[in-house]
Amino acid sequence: MEPEGQKRTTRLGILISGRGSNFLAIANSIREGRLNGVEIAVVISNVADAPGLEKARELGFATAVFISKGRPRAEHDAAVAACLHEHRVDLVCLAGYMRLLSPEFIGAFPYRILNIHPSLLPAFAGLEAQQQAFDYGVKIAGCTVHFVDEHLDHGAIILQRAIPVLDSDDAHSLAARILAEEHIAYSEAIARVVSGEYEIRGRRYVRRQEPSTR
Ligand code: GRF
């Protein structure tokens, strides 16, 4: 427990593999004062030319690259975990990080790793979730922010945001509208976790009280 009045800023480690729009949305929420008590300590990518990494550098964030291709998972993850510890990261946010995590990595940050997925889990886990949802013909789609456990897109759900699938949608327009919801959802989920005002009952995340998000 932090002594009263001395609550420390929560340091985020953001893991990306691609364009990094969720990372940018989190950075904007912090910059615009909509996500308080949080700072981005480091942005890490497993892909050297990830566009999100370039944006992170431009914005002046600490960045690191650990190429995962061809490296044993446990070894790669140990290097990433060491970097996160070095930057005194409290909460790890996967934001388009296209890698399964080793059990050792997950064990190093118990209930301290979040992921965002572009479907209403447990429907459409895995790759191209928006296309899966579109092809299935669902009428409601959305996104999920959840704790990461050892199974793919599986841990306790923190929050979901839903949108209708329009008759005029194609998979691209649907993905774009889901992405807009993701950009709201991730900051909101981080605020909820940082508030500490929740408990995990089985696989249920249950809030104790409304968090203050702004
Ligand atoms: C998002 O759709 C996210 O839900 C999924 O990967 C995509 C990453 O997009 N896990 P971005 O790199 O944050 O723009």
Side-chain angles (χ1 to χ4, degrees):
M1 280 288 283
E2 300 284 345
E4 220 176 306
Q6 291 183 32
K7 210 160 178 245
R8 193 168 70 78
T9 300
T10 298
R11 293 172 63 80
L12 306 183
I14 303 192
L15 271 51
I16 64 171
S17 301
R19 75 190 153 184
S21 72
N22 277 288
F23 143 61
L24 286 174
I26 295 166
N28 283 340
S29 295
I30 296 171
R31 189 169 46 84
E32 291 163 8
R34 286 178 284 113
L35 182 53
N36 298 314
V38 172
E39 66 186 341
I40 295 175
V42 64
V43 178
I44 299 177
S45 178
N46 64 324
V47 176
D49 59 357
L53 198 58
E54 193 48 43
K55 291 186 190 121
R57 288 191 192 112
E58 281 166 20
L59 289 169
F61 291 110
T63 61
V65 179
F66 297 93
I67 306 294
S68 52
K69 214 169 177 202
R71 198 173 181 192
R73 187 179 308 282
E75 191 185 301
H76 173 263
D77 283 6
V80 175
C83 179
L84 291 167
H85 287 312
E86 212 171 283
H87 284 87
R88 293 177 289 115
V89 163
D90 305 297
L91 187 62
V92 181
C93 299
L94 310 186
Y97 188 61
M98 306 303 283
R99 287 278 297 173
L100 283 175
L101 300 174
S102 61
E104 292 76 17
F105 186 97
I106 293 165
F109 297 93
Y111 284 97
R112 292 277 121 191
I113 310 174
L114 311 186
N115 182 43
I116 187 154
H117 184 74
S119 78
L120 296 173
L121 289 171
F124 314 123
L127 293 175
E128 302 196 1
Q130 308 95 324
Q131 183 79 51
Q132 290 186 56
F134 182 79
D135 291 344
Y136 198 90
V138 296
K139 300 300 182 201
I140 304 285
C143 64
T144 304
V145 185
H146 63 93
F147 288 108
V148 171
D149 66 11
E150 61 277 17
H151 305 291
L152 179 68
D153 300 329
H154 179 266
I157 292 171
I158 300 160
L159 69 82
Q160 297 183 302
R161 289 180 67 89
I163 54 164
V165 180
L166 308 176
D167 288 344
S168 57
D169 267 328
D170 58 22
H172 288 290
S173 63
L174 180 61
R177 287 191 299 113
I178 293 173
L179 190 63
E181 299 303 316
E182 293 185 42
H183 293 163
I184 301 167
Y186 218 155
S187 294
E188 210 172 307
I190 291 168
R192 288 186 188 189
V193 171
V194 167
S195 79
E197 295 295 332
Y198 64 92
E199 48 195 76
I200 305 289
R201 297 187 201 146
R203 22 172 318 117
R204 297 188 66 227
Y205 162 98
V206 182
R207 283 204 275 175
R208 292 206 193 101
Q209 63 179 46
E210 289 294 313
S212 150
T213 53
R214 49 190 77 227

